[in-house]
Amino acid sequence: MVKDTHRFQPFTPEPIRLIGEKGEWLGDFPLDLDEDKLRRLYRDMLAARMLDERYTILIRTGKTSFIAPSAGHEAAQVAIAHAIRRGFDWVFPYYRDHGLALALGIPPKELFGQMLATQADPNKGRQMPEHPGSKALNYFTVASPIASHVPPAAGAAISMKLQGTGQVAVCTFGDGATSEGDWYAGINFAAVQGAPAVFIAENNFYAISVDYRHQTHSPTIAEKAHAFGIPGYLVDGMDVLASYYVVREAVERARMGEGPSLVELRVYRYGPHSSADDDSRYRPREEVEAWRKRDPLGRFQRFLEERGLWNLEWEEDLKAEIRAELERGLKEAEEAGAVPPEWMFDDILAEKPWHLKRQEALLREEL
Ligand SMILES: Cc1ncc(C[n+]2csc(CCOP(=O)(O)OP(=O)(O)O)c2C)c(N)n1
Ligand SMILES: [Mg+2]
């Protein structure tokens, strides 16, 4: 019998899929997730989509200054959150991961607090929007420079190995990140050290306006794993179960001491790169519409419906429940009040150096 940590072959020519377009199960092993877990995956994907829509309203109403839409990435992001041990393993995310952050359990109050720079943000409003972090959930604060969080993820994983903690470091990034020097340096070192890390590309085929074939000559991201001597998995990232099972397997193999893996989750972003982008200038509408037809929520909904686990009434109840949770979180974040500007000088060094003290004094004169 194939052990459940070695179910999948690396380097497949086609993406690994477990749910067909009509919602049928394509796996050659029995589905071992109970009804609650399946429903939870759907709920978290719906919540991710609704959080994304709420962020769009925040930018359109002038309440925040930057968003990076994640619609289209829900299956991949929710699957990652479910495939790890929450609050025990570490996540080194990137800016588009708010669906992952929410599914992992970062409270909406904290996420909105971060977007609005209010005192509800545990990081004291000192990062640009879409850059949350959570000490409680081992969610490393998002770093803007592309791929700069890959070496720290490798370092954390090496330390986990040396200390024998049994933890795993999971690091996510986009396709564009895989052409950065930091990306190669980080994964190479994790591989050499046999560190418990899983590197996951959310490949949406664009790095802002640069399409995939203009930023790498490699036909897939998964095969870049060959160069590091680690397995690389090509997966349909619009398929929540394929993403979940492959990532979970990679995480558990890392935990057992079998070293890192690279996972390519093929997704698509329906929206622009960010609120500062007009995607109609570099990609045809028909392409976006074609991907929307493969929507991860629609496909999983059909899967659940076939099993009697989804109906319209449940969907409406879920939406009302999620909407209320998000609105409550937003209200709490707003009521926490704006972050005092002088907080920017806190927690930098154990002892505040003279030049920061001087800048702080100058700022106080202005307030
Ligand atoms: C080192 C560096 N170069 C350039 C940028 C500007 N930049 C921000 S996001 C981005 C595109 C990244 O694309 P990808 O890795 O595919 O992730 P996606 O946004 O598509 O999810 C770029 C070039 C940056 N933040 N850091
Ligand atoms: Mg991309």
Side-chain angles (χ1 to χ4, degrees):
M1 198 184 120
V2 181
K3 285 207 303 193
D4 66 1
T5 45
H6 291 83
R7 274 175 178 149
F8 303 102
Q9 286 297 319
F11 308 117
T12 50
E14 292 299 323
I16 296 167
R17 298 179 85 191
L18 293 176
I19 309 175
E21 293 299 340
K22 296 198 182 78
E24 70 279 22
W25 171 249
L26 303 175
D28 58 5
F29 58 92
L31 179 71
D32 55 5
L33 300 177
D34 64 25
E35 294 185 355
D36 283 351
K37 180 79 166 178
L38 293 169
R39 283 210 174 103
R40 185 74 212 186
L41 287 168
Y42 185 76
R43 187 196 196 279
D44 286 350
M45 284 163 68
L46 192 58
R49 176 75 48 97
M50 290 172 72
L51 179 65
D52 206 65
E53 289 164 2
R54 199 64 188 83
Y55 278 5
T56 303
I57 297 172
L58 289 184
I59 192 96
R60 298 258 165 88
T61 52
K63 290 197 169 175
T64 191
S65 54
F66 178 82
I67 60 165
S70 71
H73 286 233
E74 292 89 350
Q77 296 184 359
V78 167
I80 296 166
H82 281 264
I84 64 169
R85 292 201 203 159
R86 293 165 205 224
F88 179 66
D89 294 331
W90 272 75
V91 181
F92 290 76
Y94 83 122
Y95 48 83
R96 204 176 297 288
D97 274 332
H98 48 254
L100 166 53
L102 188 66
L104 198 66
I106 300 186
K109 175 183 173 182
E110 291 185 14
L111 291 174
F112 283 120
Q114 204 282 319
M115 293 299 285
L116 305 175
T118 75
Q119 295 185 38
D121 174 19
N123 297 316
K124 303 186 178 177
R126 291 178 299 196
Q127 270 268 38
M128 71 181 279
E130 291 278 26
H131 289 57
S134 168
K135 197 173 177 184
L137 287 163
N138 296 345
Y139 194 83
F140 191 74
T141 308
V142 173
S144 292
I146 300 299
S148 66
H149 62 311
V150 180
I158 292 166
S159 128
M160 289 163 185
K161 180 177 176 175
L162 292 176
Q163 296 183 58
T165 65
Q167 291 163 297
V168 175
V170 170
C171 179
T172 62
F173 38 79
D175 41 299
T178 71
S179 294
E180 285 284 353
D182 276 351
W183 189 82
Y184 289 91
I187 301 184
N188 180 60
F189 205 45
V192 168
Q193 298 285 328
V198 179
F199 299 98
I200 305 175
E202 294 178 34
N203 178 8
N204 59 20
F205 300 94
Y206 286 89
I208 312 186
S209 57
V210 179
D211 68 74
Y212 185 85
R213 68 179 196 287
H214 283 102
Q215 67 96 3
T216 177
H217 196 56
S218 184
T220 69
I221 290 170
E223 70 198 82
K224 295 189 183 192
H226 278 301
F228 306 115
I230 63 173
Y233 297 91
L234 177 62
V235 184
D236 180 348
M238 312 284 262
D239 175 337
V240 69
L241 294 182
S243 305
Y244 168 76
Y245 275 107
V246 174
V247 174
R248 194 184 72 174
E249 174 172 307
V251 167
E252 291 313 319
R253 279 191 297 100
R255 203 185 306 286
M256 291 187 313
E258 292 187 28
S261 303
L262 174 62
V263 181
E264 172 181 356
L265 301 177
R266 285 197 168 163
V267 298
Y268 196 76
R269 70 165 153 77
Y270 299 157
H273 167 76
S274 73
S275 40
D277 174 44
D278 173 7
D279 62 304
S280 69
R281 296 183 61 165
Y282 58 81
R283 61 179 192 181
R285 281 301 91 188
E286 304 79 61
E287 182 184 297
V288 183
E289 290 317 312
W291 275 92
R292 273 184 184 277
K293 291 206 177 78
R294 305 178 50 195
D295 189 53
L297 276 87
R299 204 193 312 177
F300 197 45
Q301 179 199 304
R302 291 191 285 281
F303 175 89
L304 293 177
E305 199 174 7
E306 262 198 11
R307 282 160 184 74
L309 298 175
W310 181 94
N311 61 45
L312 201 55
E313 199 187 337
W314 181 63
E315 170 104 4
E316 292 309 322
D317 287 349
L318 262 190
K319 276 189 180 158
E321 198 180 289
I322 296 166
R323 191 169 298 119
E325 269 174 33
L326 295 180
E327 291 310 317
R328 198 180 322 122
L330 177 57
K331 189 163 175 280
E332 287 168 358
E334 285 182 309
E335 283 172 0
V339 167
E342 59 271 30
W343 278 15
M344 77 171 101
F345 297 105
D346 290 353
D347 315 316
I348 298 167
L349 296 165
E351 260 182 56
K352 209 172 277 179
W354 65 268
H355 62 282
L356 286 186
K357 282 187 188 153
R358 201 184 68 180
Q359 287 172 29
E360 189 176 358
L362 286 170
L363 176 75
R364 282 182 192 281
E365 280 173 27
E366 294 289 326
L367 295 176

